[in-house]
Amino acid sequence: MAARTSLPRAIAAHAVLLSYTIIALFPVFVIVINSFKSRRAIFSNPLALPTRESFDLVGYHTVLQQGDFLLYFQNSMIVTTASLFFVLLFGAMAAFALSEYRFRGNLLMGLYLALGIMIPIRLGTVAILEMMVASGLVNTLFALILIYTAQGLPLAIFILSEFMRSVSDDLKNAGRIDGLSEYRIFFTLVLPLVRPAMATVAVFTMIPIWNDLWFPLIIAPGESTKTITLGAQVFIGQFVTNWNAVLAALSLSILPVLVLYLIFSRQLIRGITAGAVK
């Protein structure tokens, strides 16, 4: 009887999940199909699939010929990858220290490191710009990496510290008895066990970095340091907008996010469900 009742629930759950997936992917689907259509077809029937009459690759030709789209794409990949690496590394280290070692001010330190979740980093844009000008880091990718690392650390520390508290103390003590250093315990014992949480943090950290327009526009607006989001703005004018090129640029910029979801999807689901069970 239990098996009979669980089957309809499973079917209903899959139906709900499929509905949410369709709703979430529908805007992406509209952008992609319109990137392969002529300007007239985009405005006359935006929800229709490209046909022989409406199919047009002028947007992709414009993106690849006007400006340096490949350079913008490379800059975004460098900034996002480096920022993710430092966020996960330093965030995991700080979370391990807060969850493993008891010292005076442990709670206050954790609250201080988590303040960035409540206080948007954009409130300090003027001070950040002054610091970058004084340091000579304006129009450099390194400046963006520093900013995005600082932006992603609070959430990473908050999430990872909760997961690291669930790691067995017996396992870590056994490693210490075997003579492992704290670094070996951290890298070989703890990190593999919190890999789902790391994947969750990576996904939720990457998307704001990849899609950000604010700091690239203010800190690194130079032609050699433009990111893909800032580079797509060259097709948006005050009076005329090249919608074919804009939609083509957006379609190409979606690819890395989709690839990341495909790579980390299983770990992402495990991390979210593990956090929900807690």
Side-chain angles (χ1 to χ4, degrees):
M1 183 61 106
R4 292 181 180 178
T5 56
S6 62
L7 182 58
R9 292 181 181 177
I11 295 176
H14 281 83
V16 172
L17 181 61
L18 180 61
S19 302
Y20 284 146
T21 303
I22 293 174
I23 294 173
L25 293 180
F26 183 73
V28 178
F29 173 75
V30 173
I31 291 174
V32 173
I33 63 173
N34 282 287
S35 67
F36 293 101
K37 293 157 61 174
S38 62
R39 182 182 179 88
R40 176 175 296 181
I42 292 174
F43 289 97
S44 62
N45 197 351
L47 299 180
L49 294 173
T51 61
R52 181 177 300 179
E53 293 76 17
S54 63
F55 182 80
D56 198 342
L57 293 176
V58 63
Y60 290 93
H61 290 305
T62 304
V63 167
L64 296 177
Q65 293 175 1
Q66 184 176 340
D68 198 343
F69 185 82
L70 294 180
L71 177 62
Y72 306 155
F73 194 90
Q74 175 183 318
N75 291 338
S76 291
M77 288 297 297
I78 293 173
V79 170
T80 305
T81 304
S83 301
L84 277 180
F85 174 78
F86 290 123
V87 166
L88 293 177
L89 177 63
F90 298 143
M93 286 182 172
F96 179 73
L98 290 174
S99 61
E100 181 66 17
Y101 308 119
R102 297 292 179 263
F103 54 90
R104 292 185 63 181
N106 182 293
L107 180 60
L108 292 178
M109 180 64 70
L111 292 175
Y112 173 75
L113 293 175
L115 278 178
I117 302 175
M118 299 173 283
I119 303 176
I121 193 173
R122 287 180 175 82
L123 293 179
T125 299
V126 176
I128 292 173
L129 180 59
E130 292 177 350
M131 291 173 56
M132 295 304 170
V133 171
S135 305
L137 295 177
V138 175
N139 279 328
T140 62
L141 298 180
F142 184 65
L144 294 177
I145 293 172
L146 289 177
I147 293 172
Y148 291 137
T149 301
Q151 174 182 296
L153 278 176
L155 181 63
I157 295 172
F158 179 77
I159 295 177
L160 294 177
S161 59
E162 293 298 321
F163 277 85
M164 287 189 179
R165 289 190 180 97
S166 64
V167 178
S168 173
D169 291 333
D170 295 335
L171 179 64
K172 291 178 284 189
N173 291 331
R176 294 186 179 99
I177 293 174
D178 291 337
L180 296 181
S181 64
E182 294 298 311
Y183 290 102
R184 290 286 301 277
I185 293 173
F186 172 71
F187 283 107
T188 61
L189 297 181
V190 177
L191 279 188
L193 295 177
V194 297
R195 188 166 51 188
M198 299 278 285
T200 305
V201 171
V203 171
F204 286 109
T205 303
M206 176 205 174
I207 296 176
I209 296 175
W210 185 267
N211 295 330
D212 186 42
L213 177 63
W214 181 258
F215 286 113
L217 181 62
I218 296 175
I219 304 298
E223 186 65 25
S224 61
T225 56
K226 281 184 178 179
T227 59
I228 190 171
T229 307
L230 181 59
Q233 303 304 307
V234 300
F235 306 114
I236 301 177
Q238 183 177 359
F239 303 104
V240 179
T241 299
N242 191 338
W243 289 108
N244 297 91
V246 171
L247 293 175
L250 291 176
S251 299
L252 293 174
S253 64
I254 289 171
L255 290 177
V257 180
L258 293 179
V259 171
L260 185 73
Y261 268 116
L262 292 176
I263 294 175
F264 294 111
S265 59
R266 180 177 299 179
Q267 299 294 334
L268 175 64
I269 295 172
R270 287 181 57 191
I272 293 176
T273 54
V277 169
K278 289 184 180 185

